[in-house]
């Protein structure tokens, strides 16, 4: 294919301009792919952290649920449900007197059926100190950040004062780490029976927390739960709608901004080919006189642009994936010391990679087609009239 060899000769002749075009495209691909991979990872990490000690579907009505054991059994029979946890959510005062003085703070109180929570939420896997004993009614689980800030030890005594002004002493039984800072510093988990005494004084719950095998199927399962139990239910997406909308908007704006780098790289290719067309007017005229058609001339410059684009995209994709693999599998101290992370989360799908590659090829094609068309439409006499 003679057009390819002519395009190759042009690329080699103009090494500096070709190298600048390739570098521009490479940088554009790297910035876009790495930013999407890290943004996806951070979004997924935040959602996973939020869902780590909370439910995917909350089943609750305006009052108390008295027959919660029967409702729990009904829910757990639904396909896709991992488990259901009868619970009570409230707020109260947390008091601790330790070696460094007293500590008093408002906390979110979650009263869980701990046996169900171990199965449904894998709560035992989130315990970093101590243990869970469902039979111990005076045990309390507190977040790692709260535990560290008050300087407590396992077995220390703390006091919980409810909104009903009831006061109970508990012993620190375990320390959990959800991965979500607000939970680890502001939330405590109590046995369900203890919170029932604090709030109602009877065997009822305010809600049933449902966890699913796949959190992203929450909507249809939520509808099925409502149909079977007759109790209103909300998904984790409903409860975190504002946060999810903010994350989506942030990601969209970021992609739009970083896509400008790819557009600029395409502009560099356009400038390179445009300059080449100007320099090769005489050669274009000679080729036309030798019998080259307009299509042949167009192919020469189009192939040149696509080769430059293909090389840049290949290098950019390779470097991006290597970089994402490195930061996913290695701790970066300057990041982990600032943010509530052990490693930088990375999440990018094959579809996203293919869309990025396809979009870049499209931009390069559009950038190449106009100079190539300009070269092709030159007539033989017009190209040679000044020679």
């Amino acid at each position: 294919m003679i057009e390819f060899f002519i395009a190759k000769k042009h690329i080699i002749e103009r090494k500096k301009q070709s190298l600048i075009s390739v570098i521009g495209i490479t940088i554009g691909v790297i910035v876009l792919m790495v930013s999407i991979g890290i943004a996806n990872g951070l979004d997924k990490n935040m959602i996973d952290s939020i869902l780590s000690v909370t439910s995917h579907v909350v089943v609750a009505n305006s009052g108390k649920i008295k027959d919660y054991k029967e409702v729990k059994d009904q829910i757990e029979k639904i396909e896709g449900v991992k488990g259901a946890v009868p619970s009570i959510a409230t707020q109260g005062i947390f008091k601790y007197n330790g070696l460094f003085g007293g500590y008093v703070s408002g906390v979110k109180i979650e009263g869980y059926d701990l046996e169900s929570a171990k199965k449904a939420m894998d709560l035992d896997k989130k315990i970093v100190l101590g243990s869970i004993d469902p039979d111990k009614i005076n045990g309390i689980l507190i977040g790692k950040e709260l535990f560290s800030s008050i300087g407590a030890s396992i077995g220390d005594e703390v006091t919980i004062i409810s909104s009903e002004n009831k006061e109970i002493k508990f012993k620190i039984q375990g320390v959990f780490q959800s991965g979500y800072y607000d939970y680890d510093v502001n939330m405590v988990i109590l046995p369900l029976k203890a919170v029932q005494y604090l709030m109602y004084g009877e065997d009822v719950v305010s809600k049933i927390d449902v966890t699913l095998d796949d959190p992203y199927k929450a909507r249809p399962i939520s509808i099925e739960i409502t149909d079977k139990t007759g109790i209103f239910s909300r998904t984790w997406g409903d409860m975190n709608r504002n946060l999810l909308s903010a994350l989506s908007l942030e990601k969209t704006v970021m992609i739009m901004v970083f896509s400008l780098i790819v557009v600029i790289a395409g502009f560099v290719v356009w400038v390179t080919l445009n300059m080449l067309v100007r320099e090769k007017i005489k050669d274009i005229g000679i080729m036309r006189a030798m019998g080259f058609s307009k299509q042949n001339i167009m192919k020469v410059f189009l192939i040149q642009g696509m080769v430059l684009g293909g090389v840049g995209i290949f290098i950019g994709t390779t470097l991006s994936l290597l970089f994402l693999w490195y930061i996913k599998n290695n701790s970066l101290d300057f990041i982990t010391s600032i943010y509530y992370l052990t490693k930088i989360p990375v999440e990018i799908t094959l579809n996203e990679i293919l869309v990025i590659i396809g979009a870049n090829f499209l931009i390069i094609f559009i950038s190449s087609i106009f100079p190539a068309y300009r070269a092709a439409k030159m007539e033989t006499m017009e190209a040679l009239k000044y020679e």
Side-chain angles (χ1 to χ4, degrees):
M1 187 176 176
I2 192 168
E3 292 92 344
F4 176 80
F5 291 106
I6 296 172
K8 179 183 173 184
K9 181 174 179 291
H10 288 171
I11 292 171
I12 294 172
E13 280 181 355
R14 303 183 62 83
K15 291 179 183 176
K16 186 176 179 181
Q17 290 86 343
S18 299
L19 184 61
I20 291 171
S21 299
V22 169
I23 290 173
I25 296 163
T26 300
I27 291 172
V29 172
I30 290 174
V31 170
L32 194 56
M33 200 169 288
V34 169
S35 61
I36 289 176
I38 294 176
N40 286 347
L42 290 172
D43 289 355
K44 187 175 184 298
N45 180 75
M46 179 175 286
I47 291 169
D48 289 346
S49 298
I50 290 171
L51 297 178
S52 61
V53 288
T54 56
S55 58
H56 303 151
V57 178
V58 174
V59 180
N61 52 29
S62 56
K64 308 167 189 175
I65 303 176
K66 294 182 179 180
D67 56 342
Y68 65 87
K69 292 178 183 176
E70 291 79 4
V71 174
K72 173 181 179 293
D73 291 339
Q74 278 184 293
I75 293 171
E76 288 185 334
K77 290 176 183 176
I78 296 173
E79 186 178 353
V81 172
K82 182 179 179 182
V85 184
S87 62
I88 299 172
T90 184
Q91 294 184 341
I93 304 294
F94 177 91
K95 292 173 66 177
Y96 172 76
N97 291 313
L99 296 174
F100 305 107
Y103 177 88
V104 180
S105 176
V107 291
K108 178 183 179 183
I109 299 171
E110 286 284 356
Y112 286 150
D113 177 354
L114 294 176
E115 196 63 56
S116 298
K118 286 171 68 176
K119 174 195 168 187
M121 298 178 175
D122 297 323
L123 188 59
D124 52 329
K125 294 180 181 178
K126 297 175 178 69
I127 301 298
V128 293
L129 283 173
S131 61
I132 297 176
D133 185 355
D135 299 322
K136 197 172 182 180
I137 198 169
N138 68 333
I140 185 173
L141 305 176
I142 68 174
K144 184 181 177 183
E145 295 298 325
L146 177 59
F147 181 78
S148 301
S149 65
I150 63 177
S153 301
I154 298 295
D156 284 359
E157 192 174 80
V158 301
T159 302
I160 296 293
I161 304 172
S162 73
S163 56
E164 305 295 322
N165 206 28
K166 291 181 180 178
E167 185 174 319
I168 300 183
K169 294 187 183 298
F170 293 90
K171 287 189 176 179
I172 299 176
Q173 183 182 343
V175 178
F176 66 85
Q177 183 175 18
S178 68
Y180 190 54
Y181 182 81
D182 283 350
Y183 290 162
D184 290 350
V185 78
N186 291 320
M187 191 170 88
V188 298
I189 297 174
L190 300 177
L192 179 61
K193 289 187 181 299
V195 184
Q196 284 175 335
Y197 169 76
L198 282 170
M199 292 296 297
Y200 304 123
E202 56 181 321
D203 188 22
V204 296
V205 299
S206 61
K207 61 188 175 73
I208 296 177
D209 292 320
V210 182
T211 54
L212 311 176
D213 295 324
D214 183 357
Y216 295 96
K217 293 182 179 177
R219 174 62 59 192
I221 293 176
S222 171
I223 294 170
E224 189 175 350
I225 289 172
T226 300
D227 291 341
K228 287 196 172 182
T229 64
I231 303 173
F232 180 70
S233 62
R234 291 193 302 162
T235 68
W236 64 272
D238 296 329
M239 294 180 286
N240 297 281
R241 189 181 301 278
N242 291 339
L243 174 62
L244 296 176
S245 297
L247 291 175
S248 177
L249 178 61
E250 182 183 85
K251 184 178 175 181
T252 302
V253 172
M254 180 198 69
I255 291 173
M256 290 175 64
V257 171
F258 288 143
S259 295
L260 293 176
I261 298 174
V262 178
V263 173
I264 292 170
F267 179 72
V268 172
V269 172
W270 180 82
V271 170
T272 301
L273 293 180
N274 230 17
M275 290 172 61
L276 186 64
V277 170
R278 287 177 179 274
E279 291 178 9
K280 298 294 182 180
I281 290 177
K282 176 184 174 182
D283 295 339
I284 292 169
I286 293 171
M287 289 167 67
R288 289 300 308 279
M290 292 172 61
F292 276 73
S293 67
K294 291 184 178 182
Q295 287 77 13
N296 294 134
I297 301 295
M298 192 170 183
K299 281 182 183 178
V300 170
F301 292 95
L302 195 56
I303 289 171
Q304 184 176 344
M306 297 308 291
V307 167
L308 292 174
V311 172
I313 290 168
F314 175 77
I315 296 172
T317 302
T318 304
L319 292 178
S320 298
L321 295 177
L322 287 173
F323 181 72
L324 290 173
W325 175 86
Y326 177 80
I327 62 174
K328 183 178 182 179
N329 293 282
N330 294 275
S331 296
L332 302 177
D333 294 336
F334 70 94
I335 293 291
T336 55
S337 61
I338 299 171
Y339 298 100
Y340 202 58
L341 298 167
T342 53
K343 290 180 180 178
I344 297 177
V346 171
E347 186 79 19
I348 190 165
T349 64
L350 178 61
N351 283 343
E352 287 173 325
I353 293 172
L354 293 176
V355 166
I356 292 170
I357 291 173
N360 275 273
F361 268 119
L362 179 63
I363 290 171
I364 298 303
F365 178 78
I366 293 171
S367 301
S368 305
I369 196 76
F370 291 108
Y373 176 74
R374 181 170 171 266
K377 74 176 185 177
M378 284 188 185
E379 297 297 336
T380 306
M381 295 307 296
E382 181 188 355
L384 295 174
K385 67 180 176 181
Y386 297 114
E387 297 298 328

